Amino acid sequence: MSAIQIAENGTNHEFTVKPKRKRFQFIRSHWDLYLIMLPGILYFVIYKYVPMWGAVIAFQDYNVFKGIWGSEWVGLAHFKAMFLNEDFYKIFRNTLLISIYKLLWGFPGPIILAIMLNEVRNMLYKRSIQTLVYLPHFLSWIILGGILVNVLSPSSGIVNKLLEMLGIEPIFFLTSTEWFRTVIVASDIWKEVGWGAIVYLAALAGIDPQLYEAAIMDGANKWKQIIHITLPSLMSVIVTLFLLRLGHVLDVGFEQIFVLYNSLVYEVGDVIETYVYRVGIQQAKFSFTTAVGLFKAVIGLILVTLVNKGAKKLGQEGIW
């Protein structure tokens, strides 16, 4: 250790400065924490960072036999072809619209559900509801897609049976260009609303109960307690999750769309992920579809950066 004396207004102040510990010593002293972090770090390195190298084929005329090193470089040719392709604007519009619908209707869903569950005092009833709303998250879209096909069937589905009882003609939900996006958004909310509420329930558990007690003493009803205590307490969590959601604003879910859509609804249901699969994998246009995917990633990065700066200007904490 070393001592530093600083003279201020004739008074000597002595501070003790500890030398910096070497990095490997710090890691060795906290080896258990780093060991816990290792699986998560390996996941991101292997599945997120290593595949980034493959993005270079967006600037090549990629040939699977020549590989990345042997393929011819074409610069921005695939990006130019992307912007000149009429199909690209159609799938980009579909992707953007479905993402906006999911954001507008799906993002507030977990917040509302968490607040409603937080007000339930019967623990048995509360846990039963939580189990029911969490369950769809753990089911694959293959299973949920089969359920939706049967429920929405125009001949035997329960939804159309109810419509028939009301004197309404059966609706072909999964083959109708008017209803397909509604089915996509509603089924996504059904699957993920319960799981998304977990974070908000944890945040609600950390609110000081004395705040509610003081509000009750001041005559605030439940609605005013939610407006003036609950929502402001959740605001930092809401902003953080909103920023993370914007990073995937053009990720509408390949599995969901692929299971539910068909050629009759390509006009309104074909999105970037399904287009990349159909053109990139089935037609072997790897470079072109990589350019499309890279464009999508850049749009997500720009949105997150802009909204993160906006959140900081409004006094909220960003994600960096």
Side-chain angles (χ1 to χ4, degrees):
M1 296 185 181
S2 59
I4 300 177
Q5 291 184 341
I6 300 177
E8 182 181 356
N9 298 328
T11 305
N12 291 332
H13 298 278
E14 185 173 330
F15 300 92
T16 301
V17 180
K18 295 181 179 180
K20 291 184 178 180
R21 305 178 73 179
K22 294 182 179 180
R23 185 173 300 177
F24 75 92
Q25 292 178 338
F26 181 82
I27 294 175
R28 186 174 61 183
S29 61
H30 298 86
W31 65 270
D32 50 346
L33 297 179
Y34 283 93
L35 186 63
I36 295 173
M37 293 169 56
L38 187 60
I41 294 173
L42 289 176
Y43 168 79
F44 280 99
V45 170
I46 295 173
Y47 294 103
K48 301 296 182 180
Y49 288 98
V50 173
M52 286 183 183
W53 170 247
V56 299
I57 70 174
F59 307 94
Q60 296 178 326
D61 187 9
Y62 180 69
N63 187 302
V64 293
F65 300 103
K66 295 180 180 179
I68 293 178
W69 297 107
S71 298
E72 179 184 358
W73 290 88
V74 295
L76 300 176
H78 295 297
F79 291 92
K80 293 178 181 178
M82 177 181 68
F83 289 114
L84 293 174
N85 191 330
E86 294 182 0
D87 289 338
F88 170 74
Y89 292 100
K90 181 181 69 176
I91 64 167
F92 183 73
R93 183 184 69 250
N94 291 339
T95 304
L96 194 60
L97 284 175
I98 293 175
S99 296
I100 292 174
Y101 293 154
K102 286 186 175 182
L103 194 63
L104 290 176
W105 296 101
F107 187 78
I111 303 172
I112 297 171
L113 177 62
I115 293 174
M116 292 173 65
L117 288 174
N118 189 59
E119 297 298 326
V120 177
R121 294 294 173 259
N122 187 319
M123 293 305 297
L124 178 61
Y125 179 73
K126 180 177 180 179
R127 294 186 185 279
S128 300
I129 295 297
Q130 284 179 301
T131 302
L132 290 175
V133 296
Y134 292 169
L135 183 60
H137 172 79
F138 299 99
L139 301 178
S140 69
W141 275 113
I142 301 298
I143 298 173
L144 294 179
I147 294 173
L148 287 171
V149 168
N150 285 284
V151 170
L152 301 177
S153 172
S155 58
S156 60
I158 186 173
V159 174
N160 276 302
K161 288 294 183 183
L162 292 174
L163 293 177
E164 185 179 353
M165 292 172 60
L166 297 174
I168 302 174
E169 292 292 327
I171 299 174
F172 293 76
F173 289 98
L174 296 179
T175 57
S176 171
T177 55
E178 296 179 359
W179 285 96
F180 184 74
R181 288 174 181 163
T182 303
V183 173
I184 292 297
V185 175
S187 59
D188 183 73
I189 295 173
W190 170 47
K191 187 176 189 296
E192 300 297 340
V193 66
W195 184 254
I198 293 177
V199 177
Y200 297 107
L201 285 170
L204 288 171
I207 300 176
D208 189 353
Q210 294 182 359
L211 295 175
Y212 292 105
E213 294 173 2
I216 293 172
M217 294 295 293
D218 290 336
N221 56 28
K222 285 292 183 182
W223 178 249
K224 290 184 178 180
Q225 292 174 37
I226 292 172
I227 295 297
H228 298 290
I229 299 176
T230 305
L231 289 179
S233 301
L234 290 177
M235 191 55 62
S236 60
V237 179
I238 293 173
V239 171
T240 301
L241 293 180
F242 182 74
L243 288 172
L244 294 174
R245 181 73 174 266
L246 279 181
H248 300 276
V249 70
L250 296 181
D251 295 331
V252 297
F254 170 78
E255 296 88 354
Q256 180 190 16
I257 303 292
F258 186 73
V259 167
L260 296 176
Y261 88 148
N262 54 75
S263 59
L264 296 176
V265 292
Y266 276 175
E267 184 181 349
V268 297
D270 198 18
V271 295
I272 291 178
E273 288 100 326
T274 55
Y275 180 78
V276 167
Y277 169 77
R278 194 173 65 258
V279 176
I281 304 299
Q282 295 183 343
Q283 299 181 21
K285 295 183 179 180
F286 303 112
S287 295
F288 177 75
T289 50
T290 301
V292 174
L294 190 58
F295 170 79
K296 183 185 74 170
V298 171
I299 293 297
L301 177 62
I302 293 172
L303 285 175
V304 169
T305 303
L306 293 177
V307 177
N308 187 69
K309 289 183 178 180
K312 287 187 174 181
K313 288 183 179 180
L314 294 175
Q316 298 296 328
E317 294 184 3
I319 57 177
W320 70 78

